[in-house]
Amino acid sequence: MPKSKRSQLVSLTKVDKKTREHKTEMMDKVKENSDKWKYCWLFEVGSMRNAHLKTVRNLWKDSARIFFSRAALMAKALGTTPEEEHRMGIHKLAQQIQGQVGLLFTDTEPQEVIEWFADFSQPDFARAGNVATRTVILPAGPVMRVHSDPPEPFPHNEDPQLRKLGLATTMNRGVPTLTNPHKLCDKGKVLTAEQAQLLKLIGEKMVTFRVGLIARWEAGSGEVIQIDGPRLSAQSDGVEAADEEDEAMSD
């Protein structure tokens, strides 16, 4: 009987070597891009979703490089002290690299960057732990998928899942049906896993993916300019890291 792939042993020395090389390569790319571009922006993400970050990366692929990786590595690459900084003054930006943040290198003028990101947003589904932004009440009658165009009732084979998530449905002509209205969530209250899953099933989106600009470094002067405005960190619903660290870097 052949051995299961799950039981194969992997040499830790090989893993460590690959990890070290990968980290070094990433840091070298950050340094190379700090030498190449006029501006380095530090940004944060509200309601992180990999798919939406990839959209941003694709839209900027011809005029920027984006890094969204481990904060400690990006900070170390730029240098967090005047003695260690890779470029003049950039340590003031590196000192702010903490948590779920990224770097955007570009030659695009600041006002255009600010306006572009202020205008970019993508609605998405809430997760357990998010705060409901509105009260949702499902009316009596067939349970509807509101995201369909036109809205359509759930099929009969999804009734067990709806009941498991807390809906007191009955079958009426093969359609999951509510006898009475059901309050799915209250505005301002933290969503449970069951509530978040129900909101996704019916198509109610309650969070918005946004990119918030924190500060920028300018190569010409070595200055770091802070960007005024509310921080997005309070909107975060947990870390959704890239599947691979390579995925966190634009090509």
Side-chain angles (χ1 to χ4, degrees):
M1 180 177 179
K3 292 183 180 180
S4 169
K5 290 184 178 180
R6 293 184 178 181
S7 64
Q8 289 181 351
L9 297 178
V10 179
S11 171
L12 291 179
T13 56
K14 292 182 179 179
V15 173
D16 289 342
K17 182 178 179 181
K18 180 180 179 180
T19 301
R20 287 195 302 269
E21 291 177 348
H22 191 73
K23 290 179 179 179
T24 300
E25 179 185 0
M26 194 280 289
M27 291 173 63
D28 287 343
K29 288 183 178 179
V30 170
K31 292 177 181 178
E32 290 171 7
N33 280 275
S34 69
D35 291 331
K36 177 180 177 181
W37 304 92
K38 291 167 58 177
Y39 304 103
C40 175
W41 293 82
L42 176 65
F43 67 86
E44 62 181 341
V45 175
S47 300
M48 171 61 187
R49 302 292 186 271
N50 277 330
H52 299 322
L53 184 60
K54 288 180 180 179
T55 297
V56 174
R57 185 184 300 116
N58 288 335
L59 291 172
W60 281 86
K61 65 181 180 180
D62 295 327
S63 57
R65 282 293 304 272
I66 294 175
F67 293 83
F68 196 82
S69 188
R70 295 181 185 179
L73 291 180
M74 294 189 294
K76 186 176 181 181
L78 297 180
T80 56
T81 67
E83 294 76 23
E84 296 173 343
E85 65 183 12
H86 184 68
R87 297 289 306 275
M88 181 182 66
I90 205 168
H91 76 278
K92 296 177 182 178
L93 188 80
Q95 289 173 349
Q96 301 180 58
I97 301 178
Q98 298 177 355
Q100 281 285 94
V101 297
L103 299 173
L104 181 144
F105 294 94
T106 185
D107 288 339
T108 303
E109 290 305 310
Q111 191 57 38
E112 184 177 345
V113 175
I114 291 171
E115 291 175 357
W116 192 93
F117 282 103
D119 189 56
F120 182 85
S121 64
Q122 294 289 315
D124 212 308
F125 298 106
R127 293 174 174 172
N130 284 143
V131 175
T133 57
R134 56 186 176 275
T135 297
V136 175
I137 299 176
L138 302 182
V143 184
M144 305 295 289
R145 289 170 163 163
V146 298
H147 64 286
S148 300
D149 188 17
E152 60 182 11
F154 279 83
H156 67 88
N157 59 350
E158 293 194 28
D159 183 63
Q161 184 180 12
L162 296 175
R163 295 176 66 85
K164 184 177 180 180
L165 293 173
L167 296 187
T169 56
T170 58
M171 296 297 290
N172 184 2
R173 296 182 179 179
V175 176
T177 303
L178 289 171
T179 304
N180 299 301
H182 176 90
K183 183 181 286 188
L184 201 162
C185 62
D186 288 297
K187 180 179 179 179
K189 292 189 176 181
V190 175
L191 296 171
T192 66
E194 292 77 14
Q195 289 173 319
Q197 183 63 20
L198 277 171
L199 288 169
K200 185 174 183 178
L201 286 174
I202 67 173
E204 286 280 352
K205 296 181 178 182
M206 279 199 177
V207 299
T208 303
F209 171 92
R210 294 182 184 278
V211 174
L213 302 173
I214 299 173
R216 75 173 179 271
W217 168 81
E218 300 188 349
S221 63
E223 292 184 7
V224 171
I225 293 90
Q226 299 299 129
I227 308 302
D228 295 330
R231 294 291 298 269
L232 300 178
S233 52
Q235 301 178 20
S236 292
D237 52 6
V239 173
E240 180 181 309
D243 296 333
E244 297 289 342
E245 204 159 348
D246 283 334
E247 289 290 329
M249 299 185 293
S250 65
D251 294 326

